[in-house]
Amino acid sequence: MTAEISVSQNAGGGENTGGIGSALISGIGENGGGAGRGLVSRIRESYETLTATEREAAQYILGHLTDVLVCNSVELSQLSGVSQPTLSRLYRKLGYANAGEFRRDVRRMHQPGAPEIARTEQCDDLLDDHLRRDEESLRHTFEGIDRGRLECVCQAMAKASRIAVIGFRNSYPVALHLREQLLQLRGNVDILPHPGQSVAEEIADLTSQDVVVVVGVRRRPVFFPRLVDVLLERGVNVVVIGDVSVKSALVGRNVTLFEVDLNSHLLSSFTAAFAFVALLADEVGERLAEAGEVSGRIERINGYFSDIGELEGC
């Protein structure tokens, strides 16, 4: 069950440090029946005994529960900016025997990809908060791109007989945007699945000459790993765009993975995902332009716009 947390300033006149200690945190639906104290209660009760670094770690954890569940200790340390020994001390201070017990407690109250349960500090300006979070997500995403891997993927997409872009749920708009961008640059680009159609029918004709880009950000359908397996079994070149949670779903699979960094206020922001697919389309366009295949296609498309009168100003 996902827990909900409401945050409001204390009524007292003490100094506001902007953290959990200066906010009233109340857990709702923390599944606390016979399971003992939940994570939120433990943090609230232990907060005054935590060091400044441990408080920073606690704030990160409450706002990034999906990361906690899908990342190993090294990855969580890198994402939070808190050392592994500090995280281990925090788990013990909260009453957990080890990291495994801590994660099991988190799993009771949170499903990966669900809306985060907490705002761990008062947000005075939502506009500035969103801007800051999106800037951080964009920086993390672009700093993590392997340029050599990007080059290989874009070359393959430029030369592929067909490109299929697959997305489900919140991944579908990202997949659709990539398809629409690529379609301006080259032909034989499709978005799958089509409305009302089964996936099996859509992928039946894919071959090793094709590239499939599978977008899997946040909560994915349960058959997502098996879909990737089927594509690989057919010899299809598979590229996956996903957030940190997708790695655990694709362990041992020979795919090219690009990780985008999503952030959350209450719901997830997909800014970095859209920015990455824009980069991917531009990089493919650069390679097609070198072969002289872009300008003529764009001219034809603009000509059809004019002939049909489909858009304003045509």
Side-chain angles (χ1 to χ4, degrees), residues 51-106:
T51 66
T53 306
E54 289 165 351
R55 292 181 182 186
E56 179 183 343
Q59 291 178 16
Y60 180 88
I61 286 169
L62 284 180
H64 299 80
L65 293 176
T66 293
D67 292 346
V68 170
L69 291 178
V70 302
C71 293
N72 59 37
S73 297
V74 174
E75 293 169 332
L76 186 60
S77 174
Q78 292 172 341
L79 287 171
S80 65
V82 177
S83 69
Q84 293 183 63
T86 298
L87 289 172
S88 296
R89 287 196 301 272
L90 174 63
Y91 301 153
R92 290 194 296 270
K93 283 188 176 182
L94 295 178
Y96 299 105
N98 49 48
E101 184 177 307
F102 165 72
R103 285 191 172 88
R104 284 193 292 274
D105 196 30
V106 173

